[in-house]
Amino acid sequence: GNRFCNEEVVWDVAAAAAAAYSVGGTFYMLVDKATLDSYTNGVTLRYDTSVGGPNMDDGDFVALAEEGVKQGIIFKGETLSELAGTLNMDVERLTSNVEEYNAAVASKSDIYGKSEDSLKFPVKDGPFYAIKRQLGNLGTLGGVRVNEKLQACDAHLRPIPGLYVVGNDAGGFYGNTTSYPPYGGLATGFAWNSGRIAGENCAEDIK
């Protein structure tokens, strides 16, 4: 039931992964019905457009949350105590953390350094929804060694016939760079292109 970071870490995939890892990789995003109603009525926070951005069509966010409850990926409680019981959290700890966050929203001053613009929605009016989140894999560091054809290589850097490795399983994607480019979609682009290169070379091999 503890808040554990400045939620603005979502804008840096590496920082977000590190924050999630620090609490075991599984966590919950807690919102109340009033916040969901605000989204339904068009009030938003800033959002990421680096890989196309979110779907901005009109929608009923409470109905979406209720569908998530049916699917078992969102948990609901009419009160914080009920929600804590559903999630097997300490009631007093969850309640205290929510009260501290609401105070931060009211004062626009957060102990985790969350910006004023993001301190927009308190968590006050039930029912409450906890959206289950899990640590996402950014990519493979130290994956299978490959050559320029995406062939897997042995310990002597010789290609292993018939074996190709692509996407996040291929090593070297993060090598030979002076800095990591921190924007979303990077691994997806490599997955598509490495698959294409491997497929072309594999087709040549089997002729």
Side-chain angles (χ1 to χ4, degrees):
N2 287 328
R3 184 179 174 219
F4 59 92
C5 70
N6 175 350
E7 295 82 2
E8 290 173 315
V9 297
V10 297
W11 301 113
D12 184 311
V13 287
Y21 182 81
S22 73
V23 292
T26 301
F27 58 101
Y28 297 89
M29 183 175 69
L30 182 59
V31 297
D32 63 6
K33 182 178 181 297
T35 298
L36 296 177
D37 286 337
S38 294
Y39 283 136
T40 299
N41 293 327
V43 179
T44 64
L45 295 171
R46 68 189 177 106
Y47 50 87
D48 185 7
T49 59
S50 61
V51 288
N55 181 349
M56 298 302 293
D57 294 342
D58 293 338
D60 185 333
F61 281 77
V62 174
L64 289 171
E66 291 291 343
E67 177 60 30
V69 173
K70 292 179 183 177
Q71 294 181 19
I73 57 175
I74 298 178
F75 301 87
K76 179 182 178 181
E78 294 298 326
T79 65
L80 287 175
S81 295
E82 181 183 336
L83 184 63
T86 300
L87 298 175
N88 196 30
M89 291 181 180
D90 183 276
V91 176
E92 292 184 2
R93 181 170 294 186
L94 177 63
T95 302
S96 175
N97 273 262
V98 170
E99 289 175 349
E100 289 179 4
Y101 181 75
N102 288 340
V105 172
S107 66
K108 301 298 181 184
S109 177
D110 178 37
I111 59 172
Y112 285 99
K114 195 170 185 176
S115 70
E116 290 188 18
D117 289 342
S118 294
L119 290 168
K120 192 169 187 177
F121 298 110
V123 184
K124 288 185 176 180
D125 303 316
F128 301 94
Y129 297 89
I131 303 163
K132 187 175 183 179
R133 305 291 302 275
Q134 289 182 295
L135 172 65
N137 179 36
L138 179 63
T140 299
L141 302 179
V144 177
R145 188 191 301 272
V146 294
N147 61 15
E148 72 280 3
K149 295 181 178 180
L150 278 303
Q151 292 174 296
C153 296
D154 63 20
H156 302 288
L157 304 183
R158 294 181 298 227
I160 300 172
L163 184 59
Y164 293 82
V165 183
V166 302
N168 281 347
D169 291 324
F173 180 41
Y174 297 104
N176 300 320
T177 58
T178 56
S179 64
Y180 172 75
Y183 51 84
L186 211 60
T188 303
F190 180 67
W192 280 96
N193 199 43
S194 61
R196 177 185 62 80
I197 296 171
E200 290 173 348
N201 286 288
C202 182
E204 289 294 322
D205 284 346
I206 62 177
K207 283 183 179 179

